[in-house]
Amino acid sequence: GPFKVDKWTSGKVDVVRFPGYWGIDQQGQKLPYLDRIEAKVVSNSAVKLIEIKGGGAHLIDSIQVKDFDQVERTANLKLVDATQGIAQILAFNNAKPPFDNIELRKAVSYGIDRQALEKVISRGEGVVLKGLEPPTSWAFAPDLAGHPFDPKLAREAYAKSGHTGPITLIVIQRDPDTQIAQMLQAMLKESGITLRIEVLERQAWVERTLRHDYQMGILRSGLPHPDPDITYSIFYGRDAKQNYSGVSNPKLWDLIDNARSETVQAKRRALYGDIQK
C-alpha cells in the first residue's frame, strides 16, 4: 500500500511512506503525499477533543453528537460530514441461560424506548433501526415492524419467562456505550427487570463475548458496509467469526448463503429483508 508499518505499540500505530507504491494523482504526482502518519487510539471523546484543540492531533473521528456545537464554535476546527454511521446494537447471548429463553429476550426488547435513546444519544442526528440496515443502504427493508416500546408487554413476557433476579450487561469503557447502558438500566427497571452493568476494556469485552461468557452486551458496527453480506456473514452466518449472539439457526444460514450467491440485486434485497425478519 501507500504506507508501511514502522512501529506498532499498545494504542498507537506509526506508518511511513512506502517508496515502492505505484499510485499517482491526476497531475502525475507520486502518492502518498505524506511522509508518515501516527494513529493513536483514544476511546474517550473528551480527551480526543482536547488533543485536537491543543494541536496534538490533526484529525479525529467518531465525534459524539453532543460535541458537534463545540467543534463548530472552535475557529481552527472543521466538522466534516460522512456517509458512514455507527449502529449501536444490543446483543443477547442466545447460546446459554438466561437468554436462550425467548420470553426473556422479548421482555427486554419491549422494555427499551429506542426513540428516547436516539433523542438523548444522537439528538435527532440518528435514526431508530428496525433491522440492521440504515435507510441509506440499498438493502434497507422499509416494511420491517421492529419491536415496539411497551412496558405492559415487557412485564407480561418477563412473568412468562419465569426468570428472577438481576441480569448483567457488559459494555466497553467508551462513549456512548456507558451512557446507553445507564439509560437501559432505568428503562428496564420500569418493566420490573433489574439490570447490572459491568464496564470492561475493549479486549476483555471481545474475549468474553466471543467465548459467550456473558448475558447481554452492547456492540457497534459501522454501517452501511460496502455489501450487506459483510454484516450478516460475520455476525450471523454459518461460519461467523463474530457470532457474539451465539445464534445457531440453519434456516437463517441458508438465507444468508442464498443472499450471498444471488446476482440480481432486487432478489438480494428481498432475501436481506427476510434475514432481518
Side-chain angles (χ1 to χ4, degrees):
F3 297 96
K4 61 179 181 179
V5 174
D6 181 34
K7 297 177 184 175
W8 190 336
T9 56
S10 179
K12 189 168 181 285
V13 180
D14 293 355
V15 297
V16 296
R17 179 200 299 265
F18 174 52
Y21 182 59
W22 51 267
I24 58 173
D25 65 13
Q26 291 180 335
Q27 287 72 44
Q29 182 176 341
K30 191 172 174 60
L31 296 174
Y33 300 121
L34 302 176
D35 294 320
R36 68 184 298 114
I37 298 173
E38 297 177 4
K40 293 187 286 187
V41 179
V42 180
S43 60
N44 186 292
S45 60
V47 175
K48 284 197 285 191
L49 285 167
I50 292 170
E51 281 276 311
I52 199 165
K53 282 183 172 181
H58 298 96
L59 177 73
I60 58 176
D61 66 357
S62 300
I63 304 300
Q64 300 300 307
V65 177
K66 64 183 176 62
D67 297 322
F68 282 7
D69 288 344
Q70 182 183 167
V71 173
E72 290 179 319
R73 288 197 310 267
T74 305
N76 65 325
L77 299 184
K78 181 181 179 181
L79 187 66
V80 182
D81 196 10
T83 57
Q84 190 80 352
I86 294 175
Q88 298 282 163
I89 304 166
L90 180 67
F92 299 120
N93 179 4
N94 291 249
K96 61 176 67 172
F99 282 107
D100 57 346
N101 182 333
I102 192 172
E103 294 300 331
L104 185 58
R105 299 199 299 270
K106 285 181 182 179
V108 173
S109 297
Y110 289 139
I112 297 173
D113 187 345
R114 293 160 182 77
Q115 296 291 346
L117 280 170
E118 192 286 322
K119 186 176 181 180
V120 172
I121 302 299
S122 50
R123 307 187 183 197
E125 297 285 342
V127 294
V128 174
L129 297 182
K130 295 178 180 179
L132 270 177
E133 297 298 329
T136 51
S137 167
W138 63 258
F140 177 67
D143 60 335
L144 282 180
H147 296 91
F149 171 54
D150 192 325
K152 181 175 181 292
L153 285 178
R155 286 190 288 270
E156 290 174 358
Y158 189 59
K160 194 181 293 186
S161 75
H163 182 269
T164 58
I167 55 179
T168 302
L169 171 67
I170 63 172
V171 298
I172 298 171
Q173 177 66 60
R174 65 184 178 191
D175 300 327
D177 297 36
T178 50
Q179 186 180 8
I180 293 172
Q182 291 167 354
M183 291 185 67
L184 291 175
Q185 187 179 54
M187 289 174 183
L188 294 176
K189 186 177 181 180
E190 293 182 22
S191 301
I193 301 170
T194 301
L195 182 66
R196 288 178 177 168
I197 301 169
E198 187 177 349
V199 182
L200 304 171
E201 291 298 318
R202 185 180 187 281
Q203 190 56 40
W205 183 96
V206 170
E207 290 173 1
R208 287 270 301 274
T209 51
L210 289 182
R211 68 172 183 261
H212 299 123
D213 178 24
Y214 80 107
Q215 294 181 347
M216 287 198 307
I218 294 178
L219 62 121
R220 64 171 57 163
S221 178
L223 293 176
H225 283 132
D227 189 273
D229 180 64
I230 297 172
T231 302
Y232 301 101
S233 289
I234 288 175
F235 290 152
Y236 306 110
R238 196 178 304 273
D239 300 307
K241 301 300 186 232
Q242 297 179 33
N243 185 1
Y244 297 115
S245 299
V247 171
S248 180
N249 186 329
K251 183 180 178 181
L252 180 65
W253 294 340
D254 289 343
L255 283 169
I256 292 171
D257 290 344
N258 292 340
R260 176 192 293 165
S261 60
E262 176 59 59
T263 57
V264 179
Q265 191 177 81
K267 292 181 179 179
R268 294 190 77 204
R269 182 185 296 112
L271 284 167
Y272 285 121
D274 291 341
I275 289 167
Q276 292 176 86
K277 288 174 186 176

